[in-house]
Amino acid sequence: MTLYKDLHQRSISQREAFWGEEAKRIDWHKPFGKVLDYSRPPFAKWFVGGETNLCHNAVDRHLKDRGTQKALVWISTEVDRVESYTYQELFKEVNRTAAMLRSLGVGRGDRVIIYMPNVPEAVFAILACARLGAIHSVVFGGFAAASLAARIDDAKPVLMVTADGGSRMGKVIPYKPLVDESIRLAKHPPSKVLIFNRGLDPDMPSVPGRDIDWKDFSSKEENIPCTWLESSEPSYILYTSGTTGMPKGVQRDVGGHAVAMATSMPYIYCGGAGETIFTTSDIGWAVGHSYIIYAPLIAGMTTILYEGLPVRPDAGVWWKIVQDYQVNVMFSAPTAIRVLKKHDPALLKKYDLSSLKHLFLAGEPLDEPTHAWIAQGLGKPVIDHYWQTETGWPVLSAVHGIEKTPIKYGSPSFPAYGYDLKLLRESDASEAGADEKAVVAIVPPLPPGCMSTIWGDDERFVKTYFGDFKDQLVYSTFDWGIRDQDGYYFILGRTDDVINVAGHRLGTREIEEAVNMHSAIAECAVVGVVDALKGQMPLAFAVAKDATLVATREGQKALEKEIMDTVDRQLGAIGRPKAVHFVTLLPKTRSGKTLRRSIAALAEGRDPGDLTTIEDPGALQQIKDCLGIL
Ligand code: PRX
């Protein structure tokens, strides 16, 4: 393990020399003066004074050597279409889009909300923002109007870019009514909405004077120069869930992000210029930002953007794509593999996968049987790796571009270069020993590419992420982990109220707030429970204002359905609880805190833990009754 260890050691002990060298992987319009400014901990500024542009590095830079190479291939099994764009063509489309955005008043530092399905125009819009020095904030298309409105109000965008709709299982999901509703709800709505009309929704409503049709505008060909940004200026905001109901705007910089992306491709993903990567995520998530768009394009690869499910037209569709497009690197999520596991394993062998070097999986715990099933089925190394929206790139991973360390099933291997990782005891922040469960923490400064702050709220950034351990300024990942005798890490779930539903990160508080929007509900508690397919599912315990409403089974069923519809409307169907149980009171401590950990433990058949602080033990009995526990 010496090569990996040397790299990791150097990245920590000679931090500036290490990253100063790695920064040569990208183009700088103006060289940086200092690699790191850490004069105001925990805020880290990387490549100080350097000027660059993400779109230049992802597109323009490749025109000379790979203008005719495919940059982006869009495959939609939803609308049965394939579109390819060479770097030259991508350059043209991005410029055209940037021209549109500019004429709609978008400039440096302005925010643009992008609410789109996985279509090429979403990539054009993202890169066009980067070109203009505008800050994009992509919102996952599965979020409902109220969630979108909350993000609008936080980002205060000048423009929203959207499409008439998405598609799932061949069924159209109209976006526009939802967008209109979010703008109605928002206090700081954008004055213009640019709509890419795919022709999916013939009844799409339109607001004259505000709504603009992409196609009316986009015929103009124009070259828009890149706006050179100082390395630490914001490039994008991506909202993610945490302990409170209000999502946090993870803010990313420009220079550090570009360098982190450029470095991770050869070191971790073993991908190089001219090769093809297929990342099955959605552009609305961190994985989509980093590994559908930025890292592959900065590295000069061909990236595949996929719209569809892993099982349609059949469960071999992804492997057919690997064969047909000679995919070298693939990146997906454990949930998808668990879905494929229900189908004929012969499909894993049906196509020629000789081009494929690795399959990477991240986003949620990868259980050992699933890891073994897919690795053996494909006959390829399957690399579990761990990271977060906040970090933007892997925290724990095998670094096979440097050394082919053996893989242990169920483990995301070791700390990636740049991360000074510690496992700290929750009680006193002391370092845990081998095989001891503790909190995964990172000693700052965080490496390049990690979040620079929470958008508009430096104080919340410090308090949330660096306030977990008294007297010690360390970044908490809010994940439990252990390290075995051989130094391999295992992630054991979150320390906070974040749950992971089919790879989608959600806060149980967000779901609670959505449930509470139903006028018949007095209060509720939502917890995550293990689900064989989705990893976790939310489960709700609600107190009705009028107990007679839920006195009968029929009454309960009717209200449960209404609550589920409310969650769909407020948050999106991804947050819909598996079930809603009705109780007359929730188990709370004497100081009024709901005992969520105990409820979750009971729901998963575990010991509810220390209950000495409980206000009314009868409340816990009600939970047990709902769950059928004696
Ligand atoms: O709890 C960890 C889990 O997903 C969280 C981050 O989710 P998100 O911000 O959506 O970013 C996903 C980027 C890949 C983490 O705090 N998680 C992520 N990867 C793993 C994981 N849990 C276990 N094993 C992993 N490999």
Side-chain angles (χ1 to χ4, degrees):
M1 240 195 260
T2 48
L3 289 175
Y4 154 74
K5 275 195 173 149
D6 285 353
L7 179 86
H8 187 261
Q9 172 68 26
R10 197 153 46 80
S11 74
I12 303 300
S13 62
Q14 298 164 46
R15 192 171 262 133
E16 295 197 36
F18 178 87
W19 287 110
E21 193 56 32
E22 296 300 340
K24 292 181 185 155
R25 293 180 188 273
I26 67 152
D27 277 2
W28 294 91
H29 176 66
K30 185 181 156 205
F32 48 88
K34 201 170 167 2
V35 174
L36 171 67
D37 173 0
Y38 194 52
S39 55
R40 196 166 68 100
F43 298 92
K45 285 191 167 172
W46 287 97
F47 312 116
V48 186
E51 286 180 7
T52 188
N53 179 287
L54 281 161
C55 183
H56 167 84
N57 277 288
V59 186
D60 303 34
R61 184 163 73 114
H62 303 305
L63 294 179
K64 194 167 132 279
D65 293 337
R66 49 191 77 254
T68 56
Q69 178 199 308
K70 280 179 193 163
L72 174 69
V73 178
W74 176 56
I75 303 170
S76 173
T77 50
E78 289 293 335
V79 295
D80 264 328
R81 274 184 76 104
V82 174
E83 285 175 17
S84 287
Y85 299 85
T86 62
Y87 271 96
Q88 189 63 54
E89 288 161 344
L90 180 62
F91 175 77
K92 228 158 114 182
E93 295 295 344
V94 170
N95 271 283
R96 216 177 256 177
T97 313
M100 272 194 289
L101 264 52
R102 198 174 64 174
S103 64
L104 292 171
V106 175
R108 181 179 194 152
D110 288 337
R111 274 82 58 212
V112 175
I113 295 245
I114 299 175
Y115 183 75
M116 290 179 99
N118 272 12
V119 290
E121 288 69 20
V123 179
F124 306 156
I126 286 170
L127 292 170
C129 286
R131 193 167 193 87
L132 296 169
I135 301 166
H136 58 76
S137 184
V138 185
V139 177
F140 174 59
F143 280 119
S147 301
L148 183 54
R151 286 153 177 81
I152 291 174
D153 282 338
D154 194 67
K156 304 186 179 64
V158 297
L159 178 73
M160 169 119 96
V161 186
T162 189
D164 57 335
S167 176
R168 197 178 155 82
M169 295 285 272
K171 195 174 150 264
V172 174
I173 300 168
Y175 277 25
K176 189 58 192 345
L178 225 140
V179 164
D180 289 347
E181 172 69 0
S182 74
I183 289 181
R184 199 183 58 73
L185 293 171
K187 290 186 198 68
H188 301 279
S191 55
K192 299 279 180 219
V193 178
L194 179 62
I195 304 149
F196 178 68
N197 191 341
R198 309 174 68 188
L200 290 181
D201 179 9
D203 305 320
M204 184 180 76
S206 181
V207 178
R210 189 200 70 189
D211 294 354
I212 293 143
D213 190 327
W214 180 293
K215 287 183 191 127
D216 286 349
F217 243 130
S218 62
S219 50
K220 268 191 262 157
E221 251 188 51
E222 211 179 327
N223 277 4
I224 306 289
C226 287
T227 300
W228 302 109
L229 300 177
E230 202 277 333
S231 180
S232 287
E233 282 183 61
S235 59
Y236 73 73
I237 308 167
L238 182 55
Y239 288 91
T240 193
S241 305
T243 299
T244 65
M246 180 55 209
K248 299 167 285 201
V250 167
Q251 178 177 320
R252 197 95 59 214
D253 70 352
V254 177
H257 174 47
V259 172
M261 294 294 95
T263 308
S264 66
M265 214 22 108
Y267 281 166
I268 295 176
Y269 294 94
C270 306
E275 293 192 320
T276 299
I277 182 167
F278 176 22
T279 299
T280 67
S281 183
D282 189 283
I283 51 141
W285 302 114
V287 176
H289 280 60
S290 292
Y291 294 105
I292 296 175
I293 304 176
Y294 283 116
L297 295 177
I298 288 172
M301 300 174 79
T302 302
T303 185
I304 294 179
L305 174 70
Y306 180 74
E307 183 186 41
L309 298 171
V311 291
R312 199 171 167 271
D314 65 47
V317 59
W318 283 358
W319 316 118
K320 184 170 186 320
I321 290 174
V322 171
Q323 169 188 278
D324 293 353
Y325 294 86
Q326 296 284 292
V327 171
N328 306 104
V329 184
M330 193 168 162
F331 184 165
S332 191
T335 295
I337 307 303
R338 287 196 295 266
V339 169
L340 294 180
K341 219 168 138 188
K342 296 188 142 189
H343 294 259
D344 185 359
L347 289 167
L348 302 178
K349 302 268 188 242
K350 185 173 167 192
Y351 299 98
D352 175 7
L353 305 183
S354 53
S355 60
L356 188 67
K357 293 188 278 191
H358 299 100
L359 168 64
F360 288 85
L361 297 173
E364 53 180 317
L366 174 60
D367 54 284
E368 216 179 304
T370 304
H371 198 165
W373 180 82
I374 189 69
Q376 286 156 14
L378 293 176
K380 302 279 176 184
V382 173
I383 300 184
D384 177 17
H385 63 321
Y386 158 90
W387 50 286
Q388 310 180 300
T389 303
E390 288 85 344
T391 66
W393 61 282
V395 176
L396 286 169
S397 182
V399 187
H400 277 191
I402 292 293
E403 187 179 357
K404 301 241 174 314
T405 48
I407 296 295
K408 270 196 195 185
Y409 290 148
S411 163
S413 296
F414 321 111
Y417 53 90
Y419 290 96
D420 188 2
L421 210 76
K422 299 267 186 263
L423 282 173
L424 301 182
R425 294 189 178 108
E426 198 184 25
S427 51
D428 61 357
S430 56
E431 273 198 64
D435 292 326
E436 183 184 343
K437 180 176 165 180
V439 179
V440 181
I442 304 167
V443 179
L446 298 178
C450 289
M451 75 188 296
S452 25
T453 187
I454 291 179
W455 171 254
D457 203 342
D458 283 355
E459 199 184 316
R460 187 172 174 205
F461 170 67
V462 180
K463 263 202 190 138
T464 306
Y465 293 105
F466 296 87
D468 229 23
F469 299 102
K470 256 201 231 124
D471 312 324
Q472 267 201 63
L473 196 67
V474 279
Y475 171 92
S476 174
T477 61
F478 298 103
D479 279 302
W480 296 110
I482 54 162
R483 187 178 44 231
D484 72 8
Q485 305 282 350
D486 303 325
Y488 283 77
Y489 284 72
F490 294 80
I491 297 293
L492 307 172
R494 299 278 304 194
T495 66
D496 60 3
D497 296 319
V498 166
I499 60 172
N500 209 311
V501 183
H504 302 322
R505 174 170 162 180
L506 295 169
T508 52
R509 302 296 165 99
E510 282 171 274
I511 306 173
E512 285 175 6
E513 282 183 15
V515 172
N516 287 337
M517 290 305 283
H518 192 291
S519 56
I521 297 303
E523 61 171 342
C524 75
V526 171
V527 297
V529 290
V530 174
D531 182 86
L533 197 62
K534 297 186 171 181
Q536 277 181 302
M537 280 284 281
L539 188 64
F541 295 87
V543 179
K545 284 180 189 159
D546 175 0
T548 59
L549 265 183
V550 288
T552 62
R553 191 74 198 118
E554 292 70 43
Q556 289 176 6
K557 278 278 149 218
L559 191 53
E560 179 180 47
K561 165 85 176 57
E562 282 181 28
I563 288 173
M564 291 194 180
D565 291 346
T566 308
V567 174
D568 284 4
R569 255 195 329 273
Q570 291 294 322
L571 188 63
I574 49 170
R576 189 190 303 169
K578 187 176 191 162
V580 183
H581 294 294
F582 294 97
V583 289
T584 57
L585 78 168
L586 292 168
K588 293 189 181 180
T589 62
R590 276 185 280 279
S591 57
K593 275 200 188 129
T594 305
L595 288 159
R596 289 186 184 78
R597 273 194 200 182
S598 302
I599 302 175
L602 282 176
E604 290 183 342
R606 292 181 282 115
D607 180 353
D610 179 14
L611 294 170
T612 46
T613 59
I614 196 166
E615 168 78 21
D616 183 345
L620 211 66
Q621 190 53 48
Q622 284 200 34
I623 302 279
K624 286 184 182 171
D625 293 345
C626 293
L627 296 166
I629 301 171
L630 296 176

